Amino acid sequence: MGERLTAGEVCMREVVIAQRETPILEAAELMRGQHVGCLVVVEENGIHRKVCGLLTDRDLVMGVLAQGLDAEPLCTEDIMTESPATLREDDSLIDVMRSMRRNGVRRLPVVTAEHALVGLVTLDDVLKLLSEELGLLIGAIQGQIANERHKRP
């Protein structure tokens, strides 16, 4: 891990996307087929994919299934989170964690200054990185103990 790890370095660059008009059943099938818990909803203008929403598995459950709605006529924009919180590529790992906590979310799209999609950072990604760093710290403690035993048997 570098001196200042950024959202752009941590994020997954291959993101599963949908459009506003994607039917909900198709979105659910896409999530299942790609083994993901969310889709980043984008508007494509030929050059960039601009983030306009986020659709999660929880949105499907709480917004459709739990209410007993017929999913057939619904599309992504009907239940997605509109204008979700996002991160810039150069936001720090601390910024990522603070934004997740502040917004109460587990996933954050990473965007350029023009709001073009770059990637997606998930809580799982952050936890994996932090666990690796904690492993290094544990190694330092164990090394100190071994060094002490070697110097003072």
Side-chain angles (χ1 to χ4, degrees), residues 1-66:
M1 189 155 95
E3 295 275 330
R4 182 182 184 272
L5 196 59
T6 65
E9 293 170 322
V10 173
C11 73
M12 295 178 291
R13 298 279 173 152
E14 292 185 28
V15 179
V16 184
I17 62 168
Q19 279 72 39
R20 289 177 176 274
E21 59 278 353
T22 301
I24 285 297
L25 293 175
E26 184 180 320
E29 289 170 5
L30 185 58
M31 284 184 191
R32 182 172 188 246
Q34 295 294 316
H35 304 284
V36 295
C38 81
L39 302 174
V40 178
V41 182
V42 297
E43 294 173 342
E44 300 190 52
N45 65 8
I47 301 171
H48 300 294
R49 291 176 168 168
K50 184 179 177 188
V51 175
C52 61
L54 199 64
L55 179 71
T56 68
D57 47 7
R58 185 172 175 83
D59 293 329
L60 293 172
V61 170
M62 303 302 280
V64 180
L65 294 175

Side-chain angles (χ1 to χ4, degrees), residues 23-24 32-33 70-71 77 84 95 102 110 112 122 138 142 147:
I24 285 297
R32 182 172 188 246
D70 178 12
E77 74 178 336
D95 294 329
R102 181 175 52 252
V110 179
T112 65
T122 68
I138 290 168
Q142 291 170 337
N147 190 24

